[in-house]
Amino acid sequence: MKRIFTIIGALIRSVWRLISFLRQFILNFIFLGIFGVIALAFLERDERPLLQEKSALLLDLNGPIVEQKSPINPLEDVTSSALRQPPIRQNVLFDIVKTIRHAATDPQVSGLVLKLDDMKETNLTKLRYIAKAINEFKATDKPVYAVGDRYSQSQYYLASYADKVFMSPDGALLLTGYGAYSLYYQSLLKNLDVNTHVFRVGTYKSAVEPYLQNQMSEEAKQANTQWLNQLWTAYSQDVAHNRNIDATILTPNMDELLVQLKAVQGNFAQLNKNMGLVDTLATRPEIRQQLIRLFGENTKTQTFNHIGYYDYKSTLSPESSSSGNQIAVIVADGAIIDGAQRPNTVGGDTVATLLKKARLDDNIKAVILRVDSPGGSAFASEVIRNEIEALQETGKPIVASMSSLAASGGYWISVTADKIIAQPTTLTGSIGIFAVFATLEKGLEKLGIHTDGVGTTPFSGLGVTRQLPEQVSDVFQLGIEHGYQRFIGLVSRYRHLSLEKADTIGQGRIWTGQDALQLGLIDQLGDFDDAVVQAAQLAKLESHQLKWLTLPQHPMELLLQEFSANIKNNLITNVLGLESETITTLGKTLTQDAAPLLNFNDPKGQYAFCLNCSNQ
């Protein structure tokens, strides 16, 4: 017997040594791989292109435009480099504007070329801020040209600001307008015997409609139509002004469109030219030759003299924040969650920590809260708002600068600010609150599974396997109603409105910034630049510097977050048999609808979230 235990012990030690060896080997292999990729990157790094006289700045944006960069998984970044794939890019809105403005005053930059084929669809509010910088560039008498094989709606909006728009003869431009569409699951949940309990306040709080109905309610259609039309009117009027055409051309009825398309034998590019949307149809070599005539030729690359956006941006000096008169900028970009911030979310604790940091820093005299959020956790929103109040008690003013979205919880965290500034196309309001609780008792009973037992209170054993008692439902509904009263109470107090008026413009209804100004929900129409001016005025600063506040994250934390995110994505995509990139429309929509639910972690289960405006 002793010999048997000796053999087993030796075997276990051998296995353990093998595991230890493999662990060290894998870790060393990863380390050497990362080290090798970094070394290779330095050894093979191309020299930074020199800016030739008469060179153009090539705005070759690749990827989405964001308010603030989300942390990138370092392992994924290294892997992309090793495989020589395009780098993972997130284009910060303020970097783009800053770069264009710098180029406008740079004597070595003689023009701007917009090449936007790889720019992702972007909300109109962000596009308008970039367009403002393009107009400032044009005001220096430097030409702006747009080139592209084809244009998406967002790409064309910026292209319309060019002096001349080029497009491929085989290209096309189809403006689809704006829409708010969602999947509705009532029948599915009924077929699966899922009993969905929804608690809400607000006639227009449509975030829960997909779980209660098979179609959008008439109230939601009415409200959504109003803000969608306002956004499309703003888009079409801007483009019509830029192109010197009638805005109605951009919204033809189908009969007119078919007649026009038949007249050009189905040639979309020619139709776009006839409509005045593009100036010249030309192939890539033809466009290249025209740009060479304008900016000169780089004989090494055999193309026109230019420097790409990313190369040019890297030459700009970072902003100094050594001044004693600083305006801190804190970005709240994404769904609001309780606790620490994760990629593409607004962590209640994280933003509160940044606000506290601004409060304790004597060099910081004012704060701009830049909001681009459809809302989320009501508890986390209140955590942020409480820290804003603490900041104001020290005498430091705070300005809420609304980007594309500042709805529901996004408005909750803005309402206390000394000044609220939004653009006409900002979506805000959606002042309402809800909770969703699903139970599976019906489906389990069909499978022959029953739940029974005893508890000390009506809440004992509450969970997805038990029917929700009617009185417990009443308790939850009362809690939601209290949360709504608290929400409109904040609106009434800080916006100087009667409680009745706050309730009337609340009810979960979405408003554009244009309407919000008339209703008293905001103080001023303007962009980020106007928010900076207001912050300086409130703090009585004659000179100032911006300081962007962020919290650093450890690489291991990023890896763990990415691992968690991958698990969630797999639940949506791989389990459903959909491709990981959600290529199909169904997969993409399911991912969009499920993403907020995966981030919902309010400790009381109460949410101030705007579903339709987050999907527009």
Side-chain angles (χ1 to χ4, degrees), residues 1-13:
M1 182 65 70
K2 182 178 179 180
R3 180 176 177 80
I4 292 175
F5 282 112
T6 301
I7 294 173
I8 293 174
L11 181 61
I12 292 174
R13 286 192 296 271

Side-chain angles (χ1 to χ4, degrees), residues 49-60 108-117 143-148 166 283-309:
L50 295 176
L51 193 57
Q52 304 293 331
E53 187 180 357
K54 289 182 62 178
S55 286
L57 170 62
L58 182 68
L59 193 66
D60 50 348
Q108 290 184 286
V109 175
S110 56
L112 178 65
V113 177
L114 308 177
K115 188 177 184 302
L116 307 170
D117 302 81
V144 178
Y145 300 93
V147 300
F166 294 90
T283 63
R284 291 182 183 180
E286 290 171 342
I287 294 173
R288 185 164 56 246
Q289 288 303 315
Q290 291 205 42
L291 294 177
I292 286 174
R293 286 194 291 271
L294 289 165
F295 302 109
E297 183 176 12
N298 185 321
T299 55
K300 183 178 179 181
T301 60
Q302 294 187 342
T303 187
F304 66 101
N305 285 329
H306 70 273
I307 182 170
Y309 165 74

Side-chain angles (χ1 to χ4, degrees), residues 126-141:
K126 294 186 180 69
L127 294 174
R128 277 185 151 186
Y129 192 46
I130 299 172
K132 177 182 178 180
I134 294 175
N135 273 338
E136 291 171 1
F137 187 96
K138 291 169 65 177
T140 63
D141 293 327

Side-chain angles (χ1 to χ4, degrees), residues 67-71 330-354 369-370 373 380 384 413 549-554 557-558 560-562 599 601:
E67 297 285 330
Q68 184 181 58
K69 282 188 178 180
S70 293
I330 298 174
V331 178
D333 184 6
I336 300 172
I337 64 171
D338 185 42
Q341 194 154 298
R342 300 196 292 266
N344 304 310
T345 66
V346 179
D349 289 353
T350 302
V351 175
T353 299
L354 293 174
L369 181 65
R370 178 68 172 181
S373 172
I384 294 171
I413 65 175
L549 292 186
T550 58
L551 289 180
Q553 285 186 290
H554 191 277
E557 183 182 355
L558 298 179
L560 292 175
Q561 288 178 351
E562 184 69 18
N599 286 322
N601 66 346

Side-chain angles (χ1 to χ4, degrees), residues 548-580:
W548 299 79
L549 292 186
T550 58
L551 289 180
Q553 285 186 290
H554 191 277
M556 184 55 67
E557 183 182 355
L558 298 179
L559 288 172
L560 292 175
Q561 288 178 351
E562 184 69 18
F563 179 72
S564 174
N566 286 338
I567 291 177
K568 291 178 180 179
N569 288 335
N570 287 335
L571 289 174
I572 302 169
T573 55
N574 296 341
V575 171
L576 293 174
L578 301 171
E579 297 183 23
S580 60

Side-chain angles (χ1 to χ4, degrees), residues 175-340:
L175 302 180
T176 58
Y178 293 112
Y181 293 90
S182 299
L183 294 179
Y184 290 81
Y185 308 102
Q186 182 193 40
S187 296
L188 171 66
L189 295 173
K190 183 179 179 181
N191 292 336
L192 295 175
D193 289 312
V194 175
N195 196 2
T196 306
H197 308 273
V198 173
F199 312 94
R200 64 172 174 173
V201 180
T203 304
Y204 301 95
K205 200 63 191 170
S206 57
V208 294
E209 285 188 355
Y211 312 106
L212 298 176
Q213 303 170 185
N214 286 325
Q215 65 282 319
M216 186 179 291
S217 69
E218 288 303 317
E219 293 82 4
K221 286 182 179 180
Q222 174 191 355
N224 292 338
T225 298
Q226 180 172 330
W227 63 261
L228 286 167
N229 284 339
Q230 288 183 4
L231 260 61
W232 181 241
T233 297
Y235 180 102
S236 55
Q237 287 182 349
D238 286 351
V239 169
H241 177 266
N242 296 336
R243 299 296 304 167
N244 195 26
I245 58 177
D246 193 314
T248 58
I249 291 176
L250 302 177
T251 316
N253 62 50
M254 286 304 298
D255 291 336
E256 293 174 349
L257 181 62
L258 287 171
V259 169
Q260 294 171 4
L261 194 56
K262 287 178 181 178
V264 292
Q265 290 78 47
N267 186 333
F268 271 97
Q270 187 60 50
L271 174 62
N272 296 150
K273 188 174 185 299
N274 292 349
M275 295 170 68
L277 300 179
V278 298
D279 296 294
T280 302
L281 300 178
T283 63
R284 291 182 183 180
E286 290 171 342
I287 294 173
R288 185 164 56 246
Q289 288 303 315
Q290 291 205 42
L291 294 177
I292 286 174
R293 286 194 291 271
L294 289 165
F295 302 109
E297 183 176 12
N298 185 321
T299 55
K300 183 178 179 181
T301 60
Q302 294 187 342
T303 187
F304 66 101
N305 285 329
H306 70 273
I307 182 170
Y309 165 74
Y310 300 102
D311 288 321
Y312 187 72
K313 180 169 74 74
S314 67
T315 67
L316 305 186
S317 301
E319 293 181 356
S320 172
S321 58
S322 58
S323 169
N325 291 335
Q326 297 175 1
I327 298 176
V329 182
I330 298 174
V331 178
D333 184 6
I336 300 172
I337 64 171
D338 185 42

